[in-house]
Amino acid sequence: MTINFQKSYTTDGKVVHLSKDEEINIKLGKIIGKKFVDYRKKWDAANKFELVTDFPLFLHCELNQTCNFTCPHCIIGNKQIVKKYYKDNDEINFQDYKRIVDEGSEYNCPSIAPQGNNEPFLMKNLEEYIRYAHSKGFIDIMLNNNGSALVEKRAKSILDSGLTRLRFSLDASNPETFKKVRVGSPPLERIKKNIYRFLELKEKGGYKLPITGVSFVNIKQNIDEKEKFIDEWKDVVDIVTIQRFAPPSFEKKFDKYYPDDQFLDKPMDSFNCVQPFHRVVIRNNDITPCCAVYSSKLKIGDLRFNSIYNAWHSKEMNELRDMHKKGEYYKNDTCKKCVNSMYPVKKKKN
């Protein structure tokens, strides 16, 4: 079975967004207007390495590392790796978050995600974070979630918060597969019930936002269900996202999650990472250039002592941008390991 989509969008080929009617950013431009259209033009120019903006286009703020799932292919499901990269009870409180948002607002930053390696709806005051960013002029506010905590009462408050995009991470179509890859979750049918109820409330209330989607990470344990997953959701949500498996760390234990078609015959000769041209990620007070948890090794600033603006224009960030524009990812050891982990090479048979 082959599923045909009218439109798709990808920043780097690792994450592909499929939409049935029109490319999702065109749809959002029609809803939000010229500000959104102009922002996406800048994003696309940065994506082609034609533009370095004066301030990041996207602020990715990891507020905490709390999740009610322990998915084995995610960092949160691996306690030793969590300890390696996070401090105990590490979080960005509301006052620190406001400082981040205020600086972004000063430079007309359009996009923010108040979430990282966590389940955002476990935060009782999450809507306060979203509303504050919305009040400060952010026009593209996005969240991923696992669908377990978005019950009806919470769904209603999210619809009125100013959220632009909401994506449910599912990674399976079959209930038995779901149980194996989304460890700690309620049954898949209960998660689906929450999603359908959210969509029903959205439709009944006449809400155009948030754009709503589901996501599927390609791993060996679910790869046979990808087309079924797409077919199941393509007429239900605005967008279906298919993601290449990116291990949360470089340990060999994650090799068993690679699908066979992810392996290459030889290492990548060149790879251009676009993330340092779009965003900064704020985690552990570290200001870093990409969403990988080990990006702390590429630290470009410290939120306690540096402004985001200065970190964005730092020597370290400029060198990373120059390196990736040239495709010379292998010149930085962390970037080299990251690319090689996403594009692994087939092992030679003895």
Side-chain angles (χ1 to χ4, degrees), residues 50-277:
E50 298 171 353
L51 173 69
V52 177
T53 53
D54 196 39
F55 192 85
L57 292 167
F58 177 38
L59 300 179
H60 191 163
C61 305
E62 185 163 316
L63 302 180
N64 59 51
Q65 294 78 46
T66 302
C67 188
N68 52 338
F69 290 11
T70 54
C71 306
H73 56 295
C74 171
I75 184 173
I76 302 302
N78 293 269
K79 292 183 179 180
Q80 293 305 313
I81 305 175
V82 172
K83 289 180 180 179
K84 182 177 179 180
Y85 289 105
Y86 294 115
K87 304 179 183 75
D88 290 339
N89 301 316
D90 185 64
E91 63 177 33
I92 296 175
N93 61 40
F94 190 59
Q95 292 306 312
D96 288 339
Y97 173 79
K98 285 174 67 176
R99 186 155 56 90
I100 294 166
V101 170
D102 289 348
E103 185 182 354
S105 179
E106 180 183 348
Y107 289 97
N108 297 310
C109 180
S111 181
I112 191 168
Q115 180 241 342
N117 290 313
N118 65 357
E119 169 46 46
F121 291 114
L122 296 181
M123 289 181 61
K124 293 182 179 179
N125 64 335
L126 176 66
E127 289 85 340
E128 188 177 0
Y129 286 74
I130 298 169
R131 283 193 292 267
Y132 188 75
H134 183 66
S135 73
K136 287 291 184 173
F138 283 80
I139 57 174
D140 197 3
I141 307 170
M142 57 192 77
L143 289 176
N144 295 325
N145 79 111
N146 62 33
S148 66
L150 193 58
V151 294
E152 183 171 337
K153 182 179 179 181
R154 202 71 191 276
K156 290 177 179 177
S157 66
I158 283 295
L159 286 166
D160 290 318
S161 67
L163 190 66
T164 310
R165 310 188 199 216
L166 180 64
R167 191 164 69 193
F168 295 89
S169 299
L170 299 180
D171 298 344
S173 185
N174 184 292
E176 288 304 312
T177 305
F178 183 79
K179 185 177 180 180
K180 293 176 183 177
V181 300
R182 307 296 289 175
V183 175
S185 173
L188 178 57
E189 286 307 311
R190 193 185 305 176
I191 301 297
K192 287 183 179 179
K193 182 179 178 181
N194 287 348
I195 297 172
Y196 275 94
R197 184 57 177 151
F198 177 81
L199 294 171
E200 181 184 355
L201 290 168
K202 180 184 171 185
E203 183 177 3
K204 283 185 176 180
Y207 294 93
K208 294 182 179 180
L209 297 174
I211 291 293
T212 307
V214 294
S215 69
F216 183 100
V217 177
N218 281 326
I219 55 176
K220 191 169 187 176
Q221 290 73 13
N222 68 9
I223 194 66
D224 292 338
E225 299 178 20
K226 181 173 73 173
E227 290 194 348
K228 181 182 176 183
F229 180 87
I230 294 171
D231 193 40
E232 177 181 3
W233 289 103
K234 65 185 175 67
D235 294 319
V236 178
V237 293
D238 300 299
I239 188 169
V240 177
T241 297
I242 306 299
Q243 298 176 237
R244 174 182 288 268
F245 173 55
S249 73
F250 305 130
E251 279 86 350
K252 292 292 184 182
K253 64 187 286 185
F254 295 107
D255 287 0
K256 63 184 177 183
Y257 296 105
Y258 288 114
D260 292 340
D261 63 0
Q262 192 163 338
F263 289 95
L264 303 180
D265 292 325
K266 61 179 183 178
M268 299 282 281
D269 295 326
S270 176
F271 182 84
N272 308 94
C273 183
V274 297
Q275 289 204 23
F277 290 81

Side-chain angles (χ1 to χ4, degrees), residues 267-311:
M268 299 282 281
D269 295 326
S270 176
F271 182 84
N272 308 94
C273 183
V274 297
Q275 289 204 23
F277 290 81
H278 294 152
R279 76 187 70 197
V280 296
V281 178
I282 300 169
R283 176 193 296 125
N284 288 0
N285 285 310
D286 291 343
I287 306 173
T288 71
C290 73
C291 63
V293 68
Y294 38 80
S295 65
S296 58
K297 294 184 178 181
L298 305 173
K299 182 176 175 179
I300 57 171
D302 189 309
L303 191 63
R304 294 168 295 183
F305 313 116
N306 307 112
S307 67
I308 296 169
Y309 177 90
N310 286 340

Side-chain angles (χ1 to χ4, degrees), residues 17 35 58 138 323 340:
H17 306 289
K35 282 185 177 181
F58 177 38
F138 283 80
M323 181 187 75
N340 289 341

